[in-house]
Amino acid sequence: MDTYGYVRVSTHDQNEARQMIAMRELRIADKNLFVEKQSGKSFDRPQYKRLIKKLKPDDLLYIKSIDRLGRDYVEILEQWRILTKEKRIDIVVLDMPLLDTRRGKDLMGTFLSDIVLQVLSFVAENERLNIRQRQAEGIAAAKARGVKFGRPPIPLPENFYQVHKEWRGKRLTLNQAADACAMPVSTFYYKALQLENSSCI
């Protein structure tokens, strides 16, 4: 039997120290410790795939919390089934002692473990959806207050209005007008249309 640990953070900016400390306390060998800096939205992750290939029946896998395994409710349940039923390994979720497949191998123990897993998986996905909704609501509220998102528009060159007038007066071609403003032709044309549309309002 080999012991493995799986550590995941969603981005390179996040710190995996808390999870790593927990794994070090378990004395998991470095070669059996798989660290991922990738979103948990899907299980298409390089380190997780490497881990799956190495696992053998009766191996033991530690994860800090159920959402480190993944964020999608249905996918978490499917991966748990693959790990415990197909790979026939044991899993220990450190933050939730009830999710320890080494215990309660009888029907009641398996039943309780499955219920806890389903509840926690649902909570993990629900929290992800709530975060997304709060972000969308925050952006909508900021826009309502007049907050602008994205890069500020580049100011027009000082000669744009004069060049635009000469171009519309057919004294300059489109290419000449764009060159005079040091702008790509498509940009000059787009800005010209914006100016004319705003003038019509």
Side-chain angles (χ1 to χ4, degrees):
M1 182 192 84
D2 288 319
T3 302
Y4 294 88
Y6 180 69
V7 170
R8 186 187 66 78
V9 290
S10 297
T11 69
H12 285 276
D13 297 331
Q14 292 180 340
N15 194 329
E16 69 273 18
R18 188 176 69 91
Q19 296 176 68
M20 291 297 289
I21 290 169
M23 298 299 166
R24 296 294 182 208
E25 288 174 352
L26 295 165
R27 302 183 184 279
I28 297 172
D30 286 344
K31 66 184 178 68
N32 289 348
L33 196 54
F34 292 79
V35 182
E36 199 104 60
K37 294 197 175 188
Q38 194 167 334
S39 168
K41 286 186 290 186
S42 87
F43 282 85
D44 187 19
R45 307 178 220 134
Q47 291 301 312
Y48 184 76
K49 286 181 172 179
R50 282 186 59 224
L51 169 65
I52 292 293
K53 284 182 181 176
K54 288 194 75 170
L55 292 171
K56 311 177 302 299
D58 298 322
D59 282 347
L60 175 60
L61 173 64
Y62 284 98
I63 54 175
K64 187 78 173 78
S65 57
I66 194 65
D67 63 348
R68 296 307 85 203
L69 189 61
R71 288 280 186 182
D72 183 277
Y73 171 57
V74 175
E75 279 291 327
I76 290 174
L77 295 176
E78 174 62 12
Q79 290 301 313
W80 190 275
R81 185 194 64 77
I82 291 170
L83 292 168
T84 58
K85 302 294 192 292
E86 293 183 15
K87 288 287 185 177
R88 290 184 288 124
I89 68 158
D90 279 312
I91 306 176
V92 176
V93 180
L94 296 172
D95 286 353
M96 180 54 62
L98 280 172
L99 284 178
D100 182 343
T101 60
R102 297 172 302 177
R103 300 178 189 169
K105 295 277 189 181
D106 60 356
L107 187 60
M108 181 57 72
T110 302
F111 176 68
L112 288 173
S113 180
D114 284 349
I115 288 176
V116 173
L117 173 65
Q118 292 202 33
V119 170
L120 290 178
S121 300
F122 173 78
V123 169
E125 184 179 10
N126 204 47
E127 179 58 19
R128 180 173 64 87
L129 295 174
N130 285 340
I131 289 170
R132 188 182 296 171
Q133 183 176 346
R134 287 196 294 269
Q135 287 174 335
E137 289 170 353
I139 291 169
K143 285 182 176 178
R145 293 194 308 270
V147 176
K148 301 290 185 187
F149 290 89
R151 291 181 297 181
I154 299 170
L156 294 171
E158 291 181 8
N159 66 340
F160 181 81
Y161 299 99
Q162 182 60 38
V163 171
H164 173 262
K165 185 189 288 187
E166 292 188 17
W167 170 60
R168 280 306 186 196
K170 300 198 183 299
R171 292 185 291 278
L172 291 174
T173 66
L174 179 59
N175 285 338
Q176 288 171 333
D179 286 343
C181 292
M183 299 169 81
V185 170
S186 58
T187 302
F188 177 86
Y189 189 72
Y190 174 71
K191 294 293 183 183
L193 292 180
Q194 273 191 322
L195 174 65
E196 290 161 13
N197 288 336
S198 63
S199 300
C200 292
I201 295 172

